[in-house]
Structures are given as structure tokens and as C-alpha cells.
Amino acid sequence: MRRQPFVAGNWKMNGGLAANAALLKALLQGLGAADAVEVAICVPYPYLDQVSRLLRDTPITLGAQDLSPHTAGAHTGEVSAFMLADFDCRYVIVGHSERRISHHESDDLVAEKFGAARAAGMIPVLCLGETLEERRADATLEVVFRQLDAVLSRHGVTALAEAVLAYEPVWAIGAGRTAKPEEAGIVHRALRQRVAKEDLAAAADLRIIYGGSVKADNAAALFAQPDIDGGLVGGASLDADEFLAICRAGFGKRTT
Ligand code: PEP
């Protein structure tokens, strides 16, 4: 088993040419020995070209925040996985709760997007998570298993060999409210056990990262949980010092 810790920044709909260049310069200067943790940045579509150029031959990997389930054709406003691959995008977020909720993305559509990413050789970062109402109703595992099963039933467990899961409780995203490490750890362990039922080796190798108000001051405690392999970081990825501190918190994790 080898699960390299992974920290991905999700810039969401933030950025600008000058701000991106300054942020990446600070990150690249501060990152140093990056081999213990893999770092990716998921940027808005218009900045893929700029950021792809700035990250070439650096330890930071490029990602996107969404993609079309289609490969080409009459889909105005959509961006295909093959277009993302043209910019050396290695990762793409699928099923982020902001898209599941605001854009009414169903589990089936998310599974289709997952397949489109894999078909283009990209690594989907599949977001799973429950709302506050679902948590209060004790339905957390039911919800994340349903979201995961939509992908497993369509693509099979082997598809997870080139994928990352991100457990992101909806009530913790952008809320300044983080799941307690043990609370998140329980869900991560349950997700891994779910995959293990299908394939033990796939489960052992699968990276499951946590997202939801990860900050410099809570990252180490979250990442210390045995089944938390890093973080998907929104707001804090826009601040170089904060994001670097989160990446460093990933250095402490085991890599074997
Ligand atoms: C996210 O965008 O996936 C996220 C977890 O955001 P934040 O870190 O701001 O809660």
C-alpha cells in the first residue's frame, strides 16, 4: 500500500491574472521538499492556460473544478475532459456539493462525469458528503454510500485505482465549521471499508481526502486520522501562507 498524502486547492470562482501569478509564485517559493505530499490546484477554466504555463516543471499539479459528461458537440458552455487534458490537467473535481446543490447535479450525472474524466486519462476527485439535515437524521453513511455506489455500479471498483475520494460534509464547506477529526475519521474509515468489500487492495491504495473549512490550525489533527489522506481546501487555498501550512501538515503523514 502506498497512499501519498494529497492536498488539493479549490480556488472556486476566484482569481485574476495578476493575483494568480502572485499566489503561485509564493506557493512555489514556499513549497520546498514537496515529495512527501502531492499538491494540486484546481482553477477556473479561463485560467487553465496561464496556470498550466506557470506550473510547468514545478512540483504543483494542475486540476479543474468540473467537466462535461460529453466529449464534444452541441453543448454550449460546456468543457470536455479532452479540452482539460490539453492544458495538462491531471485532476478534475466531480460532484462538488456546490454543483450538486446549485446546479442540481444528480448522482448519475456525477458518475457520468467521473467516467468522462477517466476516459481522457484524468484523475477524478469525487466529492461525497451529507447536508446538516442528513447528518441530524443520522443518514451520513447512507448518503455517502449512495453517492459512491452510483460510481461503483457504473464503472466498477477498478475505476477507483485512478481516482481520489473527497469526503466533504456540506455543513462544513465555507462555513468556518470543521468536522471533528474523529467524526471525519469515522466516515473515511466507513468509505474505505465499503470499497474493501469489493476489493481489499483497491481500498488500501485509495486516497480519501477531507474537505470542509480545512485551515492551517486544524489540518494536522485531521490528517493525523489514519484514513484521512489529505485535504480538499477551498477558502484557505487562496492564501499562500495558510495553504503552505496545510501542505506541510500533510508531510507528517506516513507514505507507506
Ligand atoms: C471546497 O471548496 O471543497 C471546500 C472544502 O471549501 P472550504 O475549504 O472553503 O470549506
Side-chain angles (χ1 to χ4, degrees), residues 121-142:
M122 296 177 61
I123 300 181
V125 178
L126 172 65
C127 297
L128 315 165
E130 82 288 4
T131 62
L132 191 55
E133 293 67 38
E134 288 164 339
R135 171 157 284 257
R136 285 185 176 144
D138 227 356
T140 298
L141 295 185
E142 183 189 322

Side-chain angles (χ1 to χ4, degrees), residues 197-208:
K197 273 198 199 161
E198 311 258 340
D199 186 325
L200 270 178
D205 288 346
L206 180 63
R207 291 189 292 182
I208 309 178

Side-chain angles (χ1 to χ4, degrees), residues 8-254:
N10 173 15
W11 286 1
K12 312 198 189 202
M13 199 175 72
N14 293 293
L17 291 172
N20 301 345
L23 177 54
L24 290 174
K25 187 172 173 202
L27 290 180
L28 289 167
Q29 276 171 354
L31 206 54
D35 46 326
V37 63
E38 184 181 359
V39 179
I41 306 280
C42 300
V43 309
Y45 293 144
Y47 301 126
L48 285 171
D49 184 43
Q50 179 204 21
V51 176
S52 160
R53 288 168 199 272
L54 290 171
L55 294 185
R56 198 159 292 153
D57 301 320
T58 75
I60 302 181
T61 311
L62 181 62
Q65 299 173 11
D66 184 34
L67 81 169
S68 171
H70 308 290
T71 48
H75 304 287
T76 303
E78 296 277 273
V79 173
S80 77
F82 293 95
M83 293 172 180
L84 299 178
D86 271 347
F87 292 97
D88 297 327
C89 264
R90 181 156 170 72
Y91 292 97
V92 59
I93 297 171
V94 295
H96 193 284
S97 61
E98 286 157 12
R99 295 206 62 85
R100 288 184 190 263
I101 295 168
S102 309
H103 297 266
H104 311 290
E105 292 196 0
S106 65
D107 294 339
D108 278 351
L109 177 59
V110 171
E112 267 189 79
K113 290 185 174 196
F114 182 104
R118 288 297 309 119
M122 296 177 61
I123 300 181
V125 178
L126 172 65
C127 297
L128 315 165
E130 82 288 4
T131 62
L132 191 55
E133 293 67 38
E134 288 164 339
R135 171 157 284 257
R136 285 185 176 144
D138 227 356
T140 298
L141 295 185
E142 183 189 322
V143 170
V144 296
F145 288 168
R146 189 200 72 223
Q147 293 169 334
L148 176 62
D149 288 351
V151 168
L152 291 179
S153 62
R154 189 182 276 256
H155 303 292
V157 71
T158 52
L160 295 184
E162 293 291 337
V164 173
L165 299 188
Y167 169 56
E168 296 210 307
V170 179
W171 45 271
I173 295 179
R177 172 178 176 183
T178 316
K180 291 192 189 85
E182 304 72 30
E183 212 172 33
I186 287 169
V187 181
H188 282 239
R189 186 165 61 250
L191 284 167
R192 201 178 300 288
Q193 283 169 347
R194 181 76 163 195
V195 176
K197 273 198 199 161
E198 311 258 340
D199 186 325
L200 270 178
D205 288 346
L206 180 63
R207 291 189 292 182
I208 309 178
I209 60 176
Y210 169 82
S213 297
V214 176
K215 306 274 183 249
D217 62 6
N218 60 26
L222 285 160
F223 298 169
Q225 289 291 313
D227 285 297
I228 299 185
D229 302 308
L232 180 55
V233 184
S237 69
L238 300 170
D239 179 310
D241 289 340
E242 188 81 11
F243 190 60
L244 283 167
I246 293 168
C247 293
R248 287 188 195 108
F251 290 170
K253 297 271 314 183
R254 74 278 171 264

